[in-house]
Amino acid sequence: MPWLRRPRRFLSNMSTRTHRFFVFCIMITIVVISFFLLRNTNSFISQQEQICDSKLNQIKGRELIHHDVSSEKPIFFIGGMPRSGTTLVRAIIDSHPQVRCGEETRVIPRILSMRTAWEKSAIEWNRLLAGGMTEQILDSAVRAFIYEILFLHGPSADILCDKDPFVLKYASYITSIFPSAKFLLVARDARAVIHSVITRKVTITGFSLTDYRQNFKLWNQGFESMYQECKEVGKYRCLIVYYEQLVLQPKQTIKNILKFLNITWVNDVLHHEELIGKKISLSKTEHSSAQVVKPINLEALTKWVGHIPVDVLREIDKLAPMLKKLGYDTKSNVPSYGIPDKLVLRNMDRLRDNAKFWDAQAKAYARNLSNTAIV
């Protein structure tokens, strides 16, 4: 019937209009939400760009600081095989009012060893590079680490110095990150070195407390490595200091050292023992501390004579060819190193006339920890 169809048509039209209105509302809602999301996204991107720009500026700032070395203090390094006189050299130079060396850091050769190991391992090096650790980043970090250690190691000084025996193994690399650095390589007759290692029971990684042959081979290998590094950086950056000449002719030898380092002469460097416990700090974990409390003397110069097996001495040129290369007399069992000057002879008289006093001084700085390996 017609009057029944009209309400149905009317309801159908109303349903269609409602549906269309509902769809329209949804579309409007989506547009509004999209607008706000886009606006917030743009704001977020803008914020991230600002953060990135800020970080980039910070990095650039750090790079500028890193490359601005004008404010850094001069640095030099003292190294050589253990028991060669490196502690004596640093104590003498530490007596200079412009210089501060201090005790062995132990951490500087370790960070240098670690840096070398990273590059030697192709797998590890590629992993570092893949992770964004560029050579420049690593070198900048190692450089900052070393300088921070030296700078904060002790009281302020015009010139900073590091004495870690094995640091000279990395002279070439150190020069690449500290172009103005200088090096002192302390050389000593290997026969005296090995005799000291064995009799004083100094545990050095790889060395034996009984096997002379093994020790001479390791001394030769270690010193040759440092010697080559010294030659690599050149004579204007690296000076070889002979222990024997230092104790026989201290004034001339120290003058040569200071001239090489561009440091003015002061008489304090001839009497370092007077500054022990004052300007010069010694560590009781270092084997040589008990010896350097005394004035420069000849006590340890030829202690090795008569104590090394004769059959080992016959093979010395084969076991330690660097000895001959350094100019040491390997044919004589009692070599002559030179004539002592008057200062040293007076020091020997002082030690003899006040033996109890100097023995007490030595005991006060005697090593009081169990022997641990020098790495």
Side-chain angles (χ1 to χ4, degrees):
M1 294 176 60
W3 59 273
L4 288 173
R5 285 196 291 268
R6 287 175 186 172
R8 290 176 184 170
R9 192 180 299 119
F10 174 78
L11 291 173
S12 177
N13 291 339
M14 286 292 295
S15 176
T16 301
R17 290 172 183 172
T18 302
H19 177 72
R20 289 175 180 173
F21 178 75
F22 181 71
V23 170
F24 175 76
C25 290
I26 291 175
M27 290 177 65
I28 292 295
T29 303
I30 291 173
V31 169
V32 171
I33 292 174
S34 298
F35 173 77
F36 279 105
L37 285 174
L38 181 61
R39 183 178 178 182
N40 290 337
T41 300
N42 289 336
S43 175
F44 176 77
I45 292 173
S46 177
Q47 290 175 1
Q48 292 304 307
E49 289 176 346
Q50 290 176 5
I51 293 171
C52 289
D53 288 342
S54 175
K55 287 184 176 179
L56 184 60
N57 289 332
Q58 290 175 12
I59 293 172
K60 288 180 178 178
R62 285 200 298 268
E63 289 177 349
L64 288 173
I65 293 171
H66 169 69
H67 289 102
D68 179 16
V69 297
S70 60
S71 62
E72 289 188 350
K73 298 174 183 291
I75 298 173
F76 66 91
F77 297 84
I78 302 171
M81 292 301 290
R83 309 306 301 164
S84 292
T86 56
T87 304
L88 176 61
V89 172
R90 89 88 172 164
I92 290 171
I93 299 178
D94 238 347
S95 63
H96 196 287
Q98 289 182 285
V99 182
R100 191 257 295 147
C101 296
E103 308 89 335
E104 293 177 11
T105 71
R106 296 183 60 82
V107 296
I108 288 180
R110 279 172 167 76
I111 193 69
L112 291 169
S113 174
M114 192 182 302
R115 170 64 178 82
T116 302
W118 290 337
E119 193 164 11
K120 281 186 176 180
S121 170
I123 295 175
E124 182 63 21
W125 190 248
N126 288 331
R127 285 175 176 170
L128 289 170
L129 295 179
M133 292 294 101
T134 66
E135 187 173 2
Q136 291 74 22
I137 291 174
L138 294 173
D139 288 346
S140 178
V142 172
R143 186 180 188 280
F145 179 93
I146 292 174
Y147 187 78
E148 190 80 352
I149 291 292
L150 294 181
F151 187 77
L152 299 176
H153 190 201
S156 179
D158 297 332
I159 301 169
L160 303 178
C161 149
D162 171 54
K163 192 282 284 192
D164 279 297
F166 290 115
V167 75
L168 261 289
K169 290 170 62 178
Y170 311 99
S172 297
Y173 175 72
I174 292 172
T175 300
S176 72
I177 57 176
F178 292 104
S180 300
K182 290 191 174 185
F183 306 87
L184 299 177
L185 173 56
V186 185
R188 186 184 184 187
D189 192 328
R191 292 165 290 189
V193 172
I194 301 310
H195 173 71
S196 179
V197 168
I198 290 178
T199 57
R200 291 181 174 274
K201 302 186 185 303
V202 180
T203 50
I204 306 169
T205 300
F207 281 69
S208 168
L209 296 182
T210 56
D211 192 333
Y212 281 90
R213 285 182 176 83
Q214 176 182 325
N215 290 348
F216 277 116
K217 289 178 182 178
L218 288 174
W219 174 90
N220 194 80
Q221 179 182 337
F223 190 85
E224 184 176 25
S225 172
M226 297 185 200
Y227 180 82
Q228 292 300 332
E229 286 287 304
C230 188
K231 293 299 181 184
E232 181 72 23
V233 301
K235 62 181 181 180
Y236 298 107
R237 287 197 181 99
C238 186
L239 176 69
I240 298 178
V241 178
Y242 287 84
Y243 170 82
E244 293 79 13
Q245 297 310 308
L246 176 64
V247 298
L248 285 166
Q249 299 288 329
K251 187 169 185 178
Q252 187 56 53
T253 305
I254 298 169
K255 275 187 175 181
N256 293 339
I257 292 172
L258 296 183
K259 182 178 179 181
F260 171 76
L261 296 172
N262 296 319
I263 301 174
T264 56
W265 172 265
V266 293
N267 286 326
D268 288 349
V269 295
L270 295 176
H271 307 285
H272 73 278
E273 72 281 0
E274 297 176 4
L275 297 174
I276 298 294
K278 300 172 185 175
K279 184 181 185 298
I280 301 174
S281 176
L282 297 176
S283 168
K284 290 189 178 183
T285 66
E286 293 181 33
H287 290 273
S288 300
S289 293
Q291 293 168 284
V292 300
V293 297
K294 299 179 180 181
I296 300 171
N297 63 79
L298 307 175
E299 287 182 343
L301 189 62
T302 55
K303 273 190 174 182
W304 65 269
V305 174
H307 295 284
I308 298 177
V310 176
D311 57 329
V312 174
L313 290 176
R314 290 198 195 101
E315 301 175 38
I316 199 68
D317 286 340
K318 182 180 178 181
L319 296 171
M322 279 302 300
L323 262 180
K324 196 171 184 179
K325 190 170 185 177
L326 290 169
Y328 287 100
D329 177 8
T330 58
K331 300 303 180 184
S332 173
N333 291 334
V334 188
S336 174
Y337 298 115
I339 301 173
D341 66 13
K342 293 180 180 179
L343 170 68
V344 177
L345 294 176
R346 287 198 299 270
N347 287 345
M348 295 300 292
D349 290 338
R350 290 172 60 199
L351 291 175
R352 185 184 61 253
D353 296 341
N354 300 282
K356 289 184 178 180
F357 170 78
W358 292 112
D359 287 344
Q361 290 289 93
K363 288 179 181 179
Y365 284 92
R367 183 178 170 85
N368 60 5
L369 293 177
S370 60
N371 288 349
T372 53
I374 299 174
V375 187

